[in-house]
């Protein structure tokens, strides 16, 4: 990171912290944002930290800590509409290309220790709850809505938005999708390219396929590289 990037990052971070937080919190600079992140609709209280300790750079967003060889632009975005809110319960590292959109009165809750690889996307119109110590591969999509309404012959909406729950210590593989109404229990792995569409019940399981199904239970996973 060159000196120009560092200066621009600090300017954007200072501005965003002071837009969102009261002075006593803003001076701690809990958000460290890349200048490539486009912030829209942010105002006082739209992002909250629910933790006993608030420190500089708890939320790192938009930086290029991505898989080696992964290609793509640096642009990232956070859009918060009306009374939408994002709650962080500890440290978070949302890498380059992150895209988050929160609708009016919707809420995203994110546990401590999340890391997302490049170009992940979260779309929330109701409620998305993400546990602690999550790890997401690149191009993961989490969306609690179909995006557009579908009507029956009596003009009733038949595809209501439904909340999503992702547990603690979950690894979501690259190119995967977690869609409305899905529940991913603690300790699970979502295999690369899988689509989770329903409430799963098995803890510590591997989910694979479209729609994703349990293919192995009683597993654990390690956040680092293979041991040599």
């Amino acid at each position: 990171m060159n000196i120009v990037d560092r200066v621009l990052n600090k300017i954007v971070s200072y501005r965003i912290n002071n837009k969102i937080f009261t002075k006593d919190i803003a001076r701690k600079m809990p958000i460290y944002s890349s200048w490539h992140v486009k912030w829209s609709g942010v105002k006082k209280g739209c992002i909250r930290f629910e933790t006993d300790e608030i420190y500089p750079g708890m939320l790192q967003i938009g930086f290029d800590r991505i898989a080696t060889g992964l290609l793509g632009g640096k642009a990232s975005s956070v859009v918060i509409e009306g009374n939408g809110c994002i709650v962080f319960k500890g440290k978070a590292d949302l890498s380059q290309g992150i895209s988050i959109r929160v609708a009016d009165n919707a809420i995203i809750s994110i546990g401590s220790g999340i890391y997302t690889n490049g170009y992940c996307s979260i779309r929330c119109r109701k409620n998305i709850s993400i546990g602690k110590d999550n790890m997401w591969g690149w191009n993961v999509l989490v969306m609690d809505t179909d995006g557009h309404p579908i009507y029956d012959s009596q003009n009733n909406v038949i595809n209501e938005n439904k909340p999503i729950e992702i547990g603690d210590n979950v690894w979501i593989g690259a190119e995967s999708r977690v869609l409305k109404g899905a529940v991913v229990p603690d300790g699970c792995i979502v295999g690369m390219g899988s689509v989770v569409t329903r409430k799963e019940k098995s803890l510590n399981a591997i989910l694979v396929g479209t729609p994703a199904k349990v293919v192995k239970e009683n597993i654990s996973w390690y956040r680092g590289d293979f041991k040599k």
Side-chain angles (χ1 to χ4, degrees), residues 196-227:
V196 186
T197 61
R198 63 187 182 183
K199 297 179 180 180
E200 297 293 343
K201 297 180 180 179
S202 299
L203 304 173
N204 307 308
I206 299 177
L207 312 175
V208 175
T210 305
K213 297 180 181 179
V214 174
V215 296
K216 192 170 183 62
E217 297 183 281
N218 301 314
I219 60 92
S220 62
W221 60 275
Y222 173 61
R223 197 161 183 162
D225 202 348
F226 286 95
K227 295 178 181 179

Side-chain angles (χ1 to χ4, degrees), residues 61-81:
I61 183 166
F63 296 99
D64 59 351
R65 290 185 287 277
I66 58 178
T68 302
L70 190 62
L71 301 177
K74 294 183 177 181
S76 302
S77 69
V78 178
V79 178
I80 302 178
E81 301 172 353

Side-chain angles (χ1 to χ4, degrees), residues 7-120:
V7 170
L8 291 174
N9 294 341
K10 287 183 177 180
I11 290 171
V12 169
S13 299
Y14 178 84
R15 180 175 63 85
I16 291 302
N17 280 281
N18 280 277
K19 270 193 171 186
I20 295 172
F21 304 114
T22 56
K23 288 183 179 180
D24 58 323
I25 301 298
R27 69 168 61 101
K28 296 180 181 180
M29 299 287 284
I31 297 177
Y32 184 45
S33 172
S34 165
W35 67 274
H36 296 287
V37 179
K38 181 179 180 181
W39 296 83
S40 178
V42 295
K43 59 183 181 299
K44 287 287 188 286
C46 68
I47 292 178
R48 303 198 310 268
F49 285 95
E50 292 185 353
T51 175
D52 293 334
E53 183 183 8
I54 294 178
Y55 56 87
M58 289 180 64
L59 168 58
Q60 306 257 335
I61 183 166
F63 296 99
D64 59 351
R65 290 185 287 277
I66 58 178
T68 302
L70 190 62
L71 301 177
K74 294 183 177 181
S76 302
S77 69
V78 178
V79 178
I80 302 178
E81 301 172 353
N83 292 315
C85 183
I86 308 174
V87 177
F88 290 93
K89 298 183 178 179
K91 65 180 180 179
D93 191 344
L94 310 179
S95 295
Q96 172 179 312
I98 189 74
S99 175
I100 301 174
R101 191 177 193 100
V102 190
D104 186 22
N105 295 317
I107 185 167
I108 300 172
S109 175
I110 301 177
S112 180
I114 188 173
Y115 166 77
T116 70
N117 213 316
Y119 315 107
C120 292

